[in-house]
Every structure is written in structure tokens, then in C-alpha cells.
Amino acid sequence: TGFNSMPNNLFEMIFEIRLSGYIPIIAHPERYIYLHDNLRIAEKLKKTGCLFQINLLSTTAYYGKKICKFCDILLEKDMVDFVGSDIHNVRHVKEFNSKIKLKKIGKLKEAIKMNKKFR
């Protein structure tokens, strides 16, 4: 989806994806500003069977403090299913040397362990 606004037909798309036998994965939900403004949408996405994958770069506040804070909220509410990286260039790789700025580092470690279930 776009970062700033939810598609009008998001839940219909998810229904169709689920009907086809797939499990939708919402990549970097912490970066979707419309979820920041309405956590109920994120909760509804989870209830409809979506999995959430946060971006490790978001935990370093690479995309901003607000994005990092929302990672903490998602982790606190046990809404993160696994963790990934959204590497598109060498600069992103270098940013992994930055310190994690989350309050819920223990929850992040739990989410990272969940990655193993997808091997």
C-alpha cells in the first residue's frame, strides 16, 4: 500500500488473497502513516490473517523517530510476526551499524526468532 493512505479496497484485496489460499504479509507496517493514526486498522489487518514484517532499519530510527516509536507499539502489542531488511543500496547496509533505538529490544529479539518458522 502507499505510505500515507490506505487503499479504499484494502480489505477486499486481502479477502481475495486469502480466498486464493495465500497469507498476506504486510511489509514494514511501521512505515504506513495511516496506521499510526488509527491502530484499529492494524488490528483489523491482523484479525483478517495478515502477518506483519517490520524492517530492521526502522528500529534504528533510519526512517525517523515516529517510525521507530511505532515499531515499539507493534512489538508491545505482539503484532510483529517476523523481521526483515529492506536493503536497496549500500547506504542501507552501512546503516546496520547504527544502534537500535527501540524500548522493546526483548520483543524485537522474540520477533527475530520467529523468522526461523519460515525456513
Side-chain angles (χ1 to χ4, degrees), residues 1 3 25-32 53-60 62-63 67 71 82-96 115:
T1 74
F3 290 111
I25 298 172
I26 307 297
H28 46 68
E30 73 279 5
R31 294 178 61 196
Y32 299 131
Q53 175 187 320
I54 63 169
N55 180 345
L56 281 172
L57 283 178
S58 296
T59 69
T60 67
Y62 177 80
Y63 298 104
I67 304 294
C71 277
F82 51 101
V83 179
S85 61
D86 195 15
I87 297 172
H88 292 278
N89 55 56
V90 175
R91 187 181 80 237
H92 286 160
V93 174
K94 290 178 182 176
E95 286 298 323
F96 282 110
N115 286 5

Side-chain angles (χ1 to χ4, degrees), residues 16 29 34 39 42-43 47 68 79 81 89 100 113 117:
E16 292 295 327
Y34 64 88
L39 190 60
E43 291 167 345
K47 285 180 185 175
C68 189
M79 297 176 78
D81 298 291
N89 55 56
I100 292 174
K113 287 179 186 176
K117 79 177 187 179

Side-chain angles (χ1 to χ4, degrees), residues 6-54:
M6 182 179 84
N8 291 333
N9 62 342
L10 178 61
F11 289 99
E12 291 84 1
M13 288 188 298
I14 290 168
F15 177 78
E16 292 295 327
I17 290 168
R18 299 277 301 159
L19 197 61
S20 296
Y22 296 100
I23 299 171
I25 298 172
I26 307 297
H28 46 68
E30 73 279 5
R31 294 178 61 196
Y32 299 131
I33 302 305
Y34 64 88
L35 295 179
H36 295 205
D37 298 332
N38 191 343
L39 190 60
R40 287 181 297 197
I41 296 170
E43 291 167 345
K44 186 174 177 182
L45 288 168
K46 292 298 292 176
K47 285 180 185 175
T48 60
C50 292
L51 300 178
F52 282 8
Q53 175 187 320
I54 63 169

Side-chain angles (χ1 to χ4, degrees), residues 72 75-78 80 83 104-112:
D72 263 328
L75 287 162
E76 176 64 29
K77 294 189 170 290
D78 293 320
V80 177
V83 179
K104 304 295 177 191
I105 292 178
K107 293 274 190 177
L108 176 64
K109 289 179 182 180
E110 289 175 28
I112 291 171

